[in-house]
Structure formats: C-alpha cells, structure tokens
C-alpha cells in the first residue's frame, strides 16, 4: 500500500475534460516532473489550489496538453494520502498518453476501487461507507441515490456504532464480574444487562426488516407477468414499456423464453418479466418455457396475475390460481375492451380482500392505475421510506448473525449460567456487527467489494 497509484477517474470516451488521479507519497514529485506551471514553477505546492500549465513529455519536452492541477495534501484528501488531480482535455488518446507518462515516472496503474480502498484502509471512511460510494455511482433512481448518500454520510455507521457501544458496555460489566467472580453477577445487574441486549435486538430487527425495501431501492423490484397462454402478458409488457418489445400473436403459446425489461415508476425501477403462459399438457419447448416462467415467478417480488376477462375461467386459470396463492400479487383482468365473459364473483371468491384491476393492454385503459398499484405494492411499508435502510445482502447476513448471537446470550443469561458463556456470544455478536463497518475484515472480502468499483474510484 506504500506505492503511488494513478488512473483515469472519468469514463473512457470523448468529453470536455478528463480527470487523472494520482495517490501516494510520490504523487507530488511525480506531477512536478510532468506539469509545468504557466509562469514560474512553485517551489512549494499549495494544497487545494488550482494551477494552470502544460503537461510535457520529460524525454522530449514536447507539450502533450494544457491542464489544471490540484494538490490535496495528506490526510485531507480522498484517500487520506497525497493526491494530485489533473484535469486534461477529454480525449481518449490524450488522457491515455498522459497516464502513460505518469506510469513511466514510476506510478502503478490503480486496481478497480483502489482509491476508495485506501480511503478505507487509512481510516477515513468505514467499509459500509466505501460500499455506499459504489452504490452512489450505480444509483439509477432517486431512492437509490438518497439511500446511498445517507449511507455515505455515515447514518448507518452511526447507528451500528451506537449498538456496538451498547454491547461493549454490557460486555465490560460481565467481564468485571468475571474478574470478581466470587461475588457473582447480581440479579439486578443481570436484569439490566438482559434489557440492554433486548434493546439492541429490537434495533437490529427493525434494521433487518428494511432490507427488502432497501434492495428494491438499490436494484429495483422484479415483477412477473403470469397467466395462462393468450391472456395478454406480452401485450401488457409492451403497453407498460410503450414499445413493441415482445412478440404478440393470437396463437396461445407464443412466448417461450423469458423476457426482462426495465420501466421506471416514479422514483424506483421495476424489472418486468414476461414469460410463457402456464397451462396443462404443454409441448416440449413450451414445457421448458413454463419452467422458466415458474422460476421467474418464484424469484419475483410481486406477481401480476392476469386473466382474460373476455373468457370464462377454465382449468388453466385454476392451475394458475393454485400456484400463486401464497405469492405477493395483484390481480389483473385484461381485455376490458371486449365483451366481458369472466364471472367476477369467482375471482372475488378466489382472491378475497383483493380489488382486481381492469385493464386493456390493447387500448391502454387502466394502465395508469395498474402502475400506481404496482408502486404501492412494492413500496409496501410507508414508514420505512425515509429512515435508514440496509441495501446489501452482506449487511443483512451480518445483522442476522448478530441478532442470533444475542438471542443465545440472553438465553444463557436467563439460565443464570456463567458470565463467560454470555461474554463469548456477545463478543461474537460484536464481531459480526464490526464486519459491516470493517472493524475486522479479510482481504478476500475487500477484493470482492472493491472489485465492483470502476478503475479510478
Ligand atoms: N381486444 C384485446 N385483445 C388483446 C388485449 N391484450 C391482448 N390481446 C390479444 O390477445 C392475443 C394474445 O396476446 P399476447 O400478448 O400474445 O398474450 P400472451 O399472454 O403473451 O400469450 P402467450 O405468449 O401465448 O402466453 C393477441 O392477439 C393480442 O392482440 C386486449 O386488451 N384487448
Ligand atoms: Mg406472450
């Protein structure tokens, strides 16, 4: 970690400017060789001042580009090391030429995410904040952006630190009574420790419950279109996308493979999956399609259960109804523009407490209401909307492990077993909590997290 790294921090392509970033102890001396200030070269580079000048090839003294240079002195920089940022003209060739000159001077090309990794390793940000950097870069909706910014600012970290400290307080008490073991842990202390542990558990529980929502903010929600063949699933996909994406024909069994497309409803993304219609006795190819449809249904956050309202229910509809009973769903009655033959009382009895949504994928009638209903169904719990949410499976797993360890420690406390046993579980719980923040970590984990980053970040 002691070497000096460099990379182009902006996307590769043509644009107004590109930024090349250098970080490490040699950053300044390296830049001093290549960058020639207009007027006189400063003897002492002032931090956070922008200098205008030329980048020259040291071997020929040829000017490669006019550029701006900013120096960020350690530790007040992105990586907490000396950092140089050079703004060049945004051409592919010119930026790679300048980067090459920097590498020729002894810098090493940065790995993906290495600047942020250094910021973490140097203690400027914790691991959950580092993860928020990539979430922020990849944010593609208002919600995702807001939750990434909140995490980057340290809102999640603060809450985790507070829980960590509460556990530490209990642990110190226990350890004190281990040291003075003859007196044992008094009943009162045991009660107050139990209460403290349960308070942390309640906070953990609330946080864990935000995951479903958080994941939807970050990745979008997946919505599966299901129904027997010919009810208009592909037509509905096209209507939602407002383009002719999927093949539509009057023949049942048109769609075979699954097709996934993204639409945006207000501030979240929805991945809509169209698939083969479910029916009894399908042909061989269709059977494969139906398997994929079932897999899509199983992994989706919400199912749109579609019926053709211009026909009475048949055995294929009943097959469908049986399959989606325990799935989060909306009931959609399509083809409202045709003469209605579907007995709505049957639908009502099969889906009590549900208001079916009438639409016509052909005319577009009811589509706006459907979009509204989808939004409400995926953003289920309004109370979760503004608070801290967790968005990563890694965080969820650590929180669950913390929770479980605390359950064990409470049981041990209640049984009046030795404080040492309780301490072991609390230690484990703190360790899991610490993993989210990166208090302890393995190199593999860092490789995995920072591997998701772009080069130059
Ligand atoms: N009148 C009318 N026809 C519709 C409507 N929606 C779909 N259709 C027609 O119904 C037929 C089947 O539509 P698709 O969208 O291919 O149905 P599907 O559910 O995807 O069918 P499979 O892919 O075979 O499972 C086509 O002829 C569509 O034009 C509608 O709202 N009104
Ligand atoms: Mg289809």
């Amino acid at each position: 970690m002691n070497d000096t790294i460099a990379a182009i921090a902006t996307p590769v392509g043509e644009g107004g400017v590109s930024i090349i970033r250098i970080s490490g102890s040699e950053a300044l001396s390296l830049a001093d060789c290549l960058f020639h200030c207009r007027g006189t070269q400063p003897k002492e580079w002032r931090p956070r001042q922008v200098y205008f000048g030329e980048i020259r090839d040291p071997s020929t003294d040829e000017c490669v580009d006019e550029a701006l240079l900013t120096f960020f002195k350690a530790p007040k920089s992105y990586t907490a090391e000396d950092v140089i940022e050079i703004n060049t003209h945004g051409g592919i060739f010119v930026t790679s030429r300048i980067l090459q000159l920097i590498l020729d001077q002894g810098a090493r090309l940065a790995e993906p995410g290495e600047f942020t990794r250094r910021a973490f390793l140097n203690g400027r940000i914790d691991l959950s904040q580092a993860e928020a950097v990539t979430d922020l870069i990849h944010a593609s909706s208002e919600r995702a952006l807001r939750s990434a910014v909140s995490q980057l600012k340290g809102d999640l970290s603060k809450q985790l630190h507070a829980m960590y400290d509460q556990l530490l307080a209990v642990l110190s008490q226990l350890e004190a009574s281990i040291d003075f073991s003859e007196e044992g842990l008094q009943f009162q202390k045991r009660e107050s420790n139990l209460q403290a542990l349960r308070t942390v558990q309640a906070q953990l529980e609330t946080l864990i419950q935000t995951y479903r929502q958080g994941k939807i903010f970050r990745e979008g929600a997946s919505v599966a279109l299901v129904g027997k063949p010919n009810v208009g699933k592909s037509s509905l996909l096209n209507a939602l996308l407002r383009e002719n994406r999927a093949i539509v024909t009057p023949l049942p069994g048109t769609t075979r493979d699954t097709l996934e497309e993204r639409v945006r409803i207000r501030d979240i993304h929805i991945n809509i999956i169209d698939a083969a219609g479910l029916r009894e006795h399908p042909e061989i190819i269709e059977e494969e399609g139906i398997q994929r449809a079932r897999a899509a249904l199983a992994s989706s956050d919400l199912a749109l259960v579609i019926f053709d309202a211009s026909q009475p229910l048949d055995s294929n509809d009943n097959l469908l109804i049986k399959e989606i009973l325990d799935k989060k769903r909306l009931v959609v009655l399509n083809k409202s523009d045709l003469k209605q033959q579907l007995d709505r009382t049957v639908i009502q009895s099969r889906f009590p407490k549900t208001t079916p949504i009438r639409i016509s994928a052909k005319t577009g009638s009811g589509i706006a209401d459907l979009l509204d209903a989808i939004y409400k169904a995926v953003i289920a719990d309004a109370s979760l909307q503004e608070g801290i949410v967790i968005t990563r499976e890694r965080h969820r797993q650590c929180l669950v492990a913390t929770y479980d360890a605390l359950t064990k420690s409470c049981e041990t406390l209640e049984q009046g077993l030795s404080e040492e046993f309780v301490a072991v579980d609390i230690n484990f719980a703190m360790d899991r909590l610490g993993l989210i923040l990166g208090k302890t970590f393995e190199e593999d984990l860092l490789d995995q997290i920072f591997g998701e980053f772009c080069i130059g970040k």
Side-chain angles (χ1 to χ4, degrees):
M1 218 187 82
N2 294 325
D3 54 355
T4 296
I5 52 171
I8 301 171
T10 38
V12 179
E14 293 180 358
V17 284
S18 281
I19 299 174
I20 298 173
R21 198 182 246 171
I22 315 170
S23 178
S25 54
E26 299 302 312
L28 188 60
S29 61
L30 222 144
D32 193 43
C33 276
L34 301 173
F35 184 86
H36 299 267
C37 249
R38 184 62 53 92
T40 45
Q41 190 85 337
K43 284 204 178 59
E44 214 30 63
W45 294 83
R46 289 180 37 197
R48 289 188 267 170
Q49 177 176 323
V50 182
Y51 294 93
F52 174 61
E54 289 180 353
I55 301 282
R56 292 197 207 135
D57 182 339
S59 59
T60 58
D61 211 34
E62 172 206 5
C63 170
V64 183
D65 192 8
E66 290 190 325
L68 295 174
L69 179 146
T70 320
F71 168 45
F72 299 90
K73 193 171 165 56
K76 292 187 172 174
S77 73
Y78 186 73
T79 55
E81 301 172 335
D82 275 358
V83 168
I84 292 285
E85 282 189 9
I86 303 175
N87 291 34
T88 69
H89 286 101
I92 299 169
F93 186 74
V94 67
T95 40
S96 24
R97 176 83 200 279
I98 296 169
L99 178 65
Q100 192 55 55
L101 290 176
I102 295 167
L103 301 180
D104 291 347
Q105 295 297 306
R108 170 172 67 73
L109 184 65
E111 313 259 334
E114 197 171 359
F115 291 93
T116 312
R117 187 178 188 138
R118 287 186 174 199
F120 163 65
L121 291 173
N122 290 325
R124 201 181 65 74
I125 52 175
D126 67 39
L127 201 50
S128 77
Q129 290 174 301
E131 291 173 307
V133 172
T134 171
D135 289 352
L136 200 146
I137 291 173
H138 293 131
S140 53
S141 72
E142 191 67 36
R143 289 276 178 186
L145 180 62
R146 248 189 285 155
S147 77
V149 169
S150 146
Q151 196 172 315
L152 180 61
K153 276 175 32 203
D155 293 345
L156 175 64
S157 314
K158 266 183 228 141
Q159 192 174 358
L160 298 179
H161 274 294
M163 290 195 253
Y164 193 90
D165 291 344
Q166 290 172 61
L167 295 181
L168 191 62
V170 176
L171 191 65
S172 333
Q173 270 229 353
L174 289 171
E175 274 168 0
S177 45
I178 293 169
D179 292 341
F180 303 100
S181 54
E182 281 143 48
E183 292 151 43
L185 188 60
Q186 296 156 5
F187 176 75
Q188 257 184 344
K189 277 193 184 153
R190 180 177 302 160
E191 277 307 298
S192 76
N193 282 337
L194 261 178
Q195 199 156 13
L197 294 178
R198 293 209 174 109
T199 310
V200 176
Q201 274 199 308
Q203 293 167 5
L204 285 166
E205 199 172 356
T206 312
L207 213 47
I208 293 166
Q209 280 168 356
T210 66
Y211 174 67
R212 207 188 72 82
Q213 211 71 73
K215 182 166 170 273
I216 289 173
F217 293 168
R218 199 167 89 97
E219 297 167 18
S222 60
V223 174
L225 307 181
V226 290
K228 70 179 174 189
N230 229 32
V231 292
K233 298 177 294 298
S234 303
S235 305
L236 177 56
L237 176 78
N238 292 344
L240 292 169
L241 293 175
R242 298 178 194 211
E243 66 174 285
N244 272 332
R245 179 68 186 82
I247 299 174
V248 168
T249 75
L251 298 174
T254 303
T255 307
R256 299 283 165 95
D257 218 339
T258 48
L259 187 64
E260 184 165 344
E261 287 294 328
R262 217 166 212 224
V263 290
R264 192 191 184 115
I265 310 182
R266 286 181 241 165
D267 50 7
I268 55 170
H269 278 293
I270 307 283
N271 304 312
I272 301 180
I273 309 149
D274 177 27
L278 302 184
R279 72 166 150 192
E280 303 160 315
H281 319 301
E283 307 160 20
I284 293 177
I285 309 176
E286 212 183 345
E287 195 162 348
E288 174 63 30
I290 289 178
Q291 271 182 25
R292 289 176 188 211
R294 289 202 169 103
L297 174 63
S299 66
S300 65
D301 297 302
L302 175 73
L304 299 193
V305 188
I306 308 168
F307 296 96
D308 179 346
S310 70
Q311 312 238 328
L313 284 189
D314 64 16
S315 58
N316 286 329
D317 290 311
N318 288 325
L319 177 78
L320 171 72
I321 291 170
K322 265 192 241 142
E323 292 203 22
I324 46 81
L325 275 182
D326 50 3
K327 184 82 197 171
K328 192 173 163 70
R329 59 184 182 245
L330 291 175
V331 176
V332 178
L333 308 182
N334 189 31
K335 308 199 187 180
S336 63
D337 56 299
L338 299 178
K339 183 167 183 293
Q340 304 292 281
Q341 305 268 6
L342 185 79
D343 185 352
R344 291 190 56 177
T345 53
V346 179
I347 292 287
Q348 212 68 67
S349 68
R350 294 297 174 87
F351 300 103
K353 293 192 217 142
T354 315
T355 315
I357 302 158
R358 289 187 61 201
I359 63 157
S360 165
K362 189 174 177 185
T363 66
S365 136
I367 296 292
D369 292 341
L370 178 60
L371 285 170
D372 242 24
I374 294 175
Y375 184 84
K376 286 202 186 105
V378 291
I379 300 288
D381 188 348
S383 65
L384 293 178
Q385 288 185 26
E386 293 308 329
I388 297 171
V389 289
I390 55 161
T391 56
R392 287 180 177 253
E393 175 59 18
R394 184 182 89 82
H395 296 177
R396 194 192 66 81
Q397 278 176 13
C398 290
L399 292 174
V400 169
T402 311
Y403 185 93
D404 291 347
L406 292 184
T407 306
K408 269 176 78 183
S409 62
C410 285
E411 283 166 9
T412 316
L413 255 180
E414 275 172 332
Q415 288 161 5
L417 295 180
S418 159
E419 290 81 43
E420 271 128 339
F421 294 122
V422 189
V424 168
D425 289 325
I426 296 182
N427 256 315
F428 183 76
M430 288 170 68
D431 179 64
R432 296 295 104 173
L433 211 50
L435 273 182
I436 305 181
L437 297 163
K439 279 178 185 281
T440 52
F441 57 84
E442 310 251 314
E443 285 298 320
D444 285 0
L445 175 66
L446 296 195
D447 289 346
Q448 198 187 330
I449 290 173
F450 292 103
E452 275 181 39
F453 278 62
C454 17
I455 288 190
K457 192 64 221 171

